[in-house]
């Protein structure tokens, strides 16, 4: 979870996430279970409920990650991925190098991604 690591499920953050997804046109590209989870959680929080379940928090973070990945520009996604790769390899990366690393990772075919982070 690179983009949604900051996400704390609250009434304000979930409503902002849903409105962003609706505004960008990705809300109906989500699977129905994810949409239902966000809608049900919003209704629960509007009625004064408090989220305590770690499983529910992780599920909401996964949905937030999917929404952020679909709504974020490619450069933001590439920079987040590149910073994670640089941190995993133990190298210093400025913004441009992080974007380059992220774009390389995004454009790498899935069959080769298993071995990309093994050797620095």
């Amino acid at each position: 979870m690179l983009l949604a690591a900051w996400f704390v499920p609250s009434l304000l953050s979930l409503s902002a996430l849903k409105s962003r997804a609706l505004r960008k046109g990705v809300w109906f590209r989500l699977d129905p279970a994810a949409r239902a989870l966000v809608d049900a959680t919003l209704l629960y929080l509007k009625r004064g409920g408090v989220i305590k379940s770690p499983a529910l928090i992780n599920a909401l973070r996964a949905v937030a990650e999917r929404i952020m990945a679909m709504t974020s520009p490619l450069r933001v996604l590439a920079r987040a991925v590149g910073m994670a790769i640089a941190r995993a390899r133990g190298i210093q990366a400025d913004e441009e190098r992080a974007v380059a690393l992220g774009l390389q990772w995004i454009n790498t075919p899935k069959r080769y991604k298993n071995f990309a982070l093994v050797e620095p």
Side-chain angles (χ1 to χ4, degrees):
M1 290 190 206
L2 298 172
L3 297 173
W6 53 269
F7 187 73
V8 176
S10 66
L11 180 61
L12 183 63
S13 64
L14 280 175
S15 60
L17 188 71
K18 182 179 177 180
S19 66
R20 178 180 177 143
L22 284 168
R23 196 172 52 247
K24 298 280 186 168
V26 300
W27 179 250
F28 294 104
R29 281 192 255 158
L30 286 174
D31 56 337
R35 290 192 313 243
L37 179 68
V38 172
D39 285 336
T41 307
L42 275 172
L43 286 173
Y44 178 71
L45 290 173
K46 283 180 184 177
R47 286 168 174 70
V50 177
I51 299 175
K52 296 179 186 175
S53 170
L56 179 59
I57 291 171
N58 289 336
L60 288 170
R61 281 192 179 143
V63 171
E65 177 70 29
R66 277 187 257 148
I67 291 173
M68 293 300 293
M70 287 193 278
T71 60
S72 295
L74 181 63
R75 184 173 178 85
V76 173
L77 180 62
R79 184 180 39 168
V81 170
M83 286 295 191
I85 290 171
R87 193 173 35 246
R89 291 184 177 178
I91 58 175
Q92 290 287 77
D94 59 342
E95 184 174 343
E96 291 303 316
R97 185 166 182 191
V99 169
L101 283 172
L103 285 175
Q104 289 172 1
W105 176 261
I106 290 170
N107 289 324
T108 302
K110 288 183 181 178
R111 65 173 8 162
Y112 301 116
K113 284 187 179 180
N114 292 338
F115 304 108
L117 287 178
V118 173
E119 191 169 350

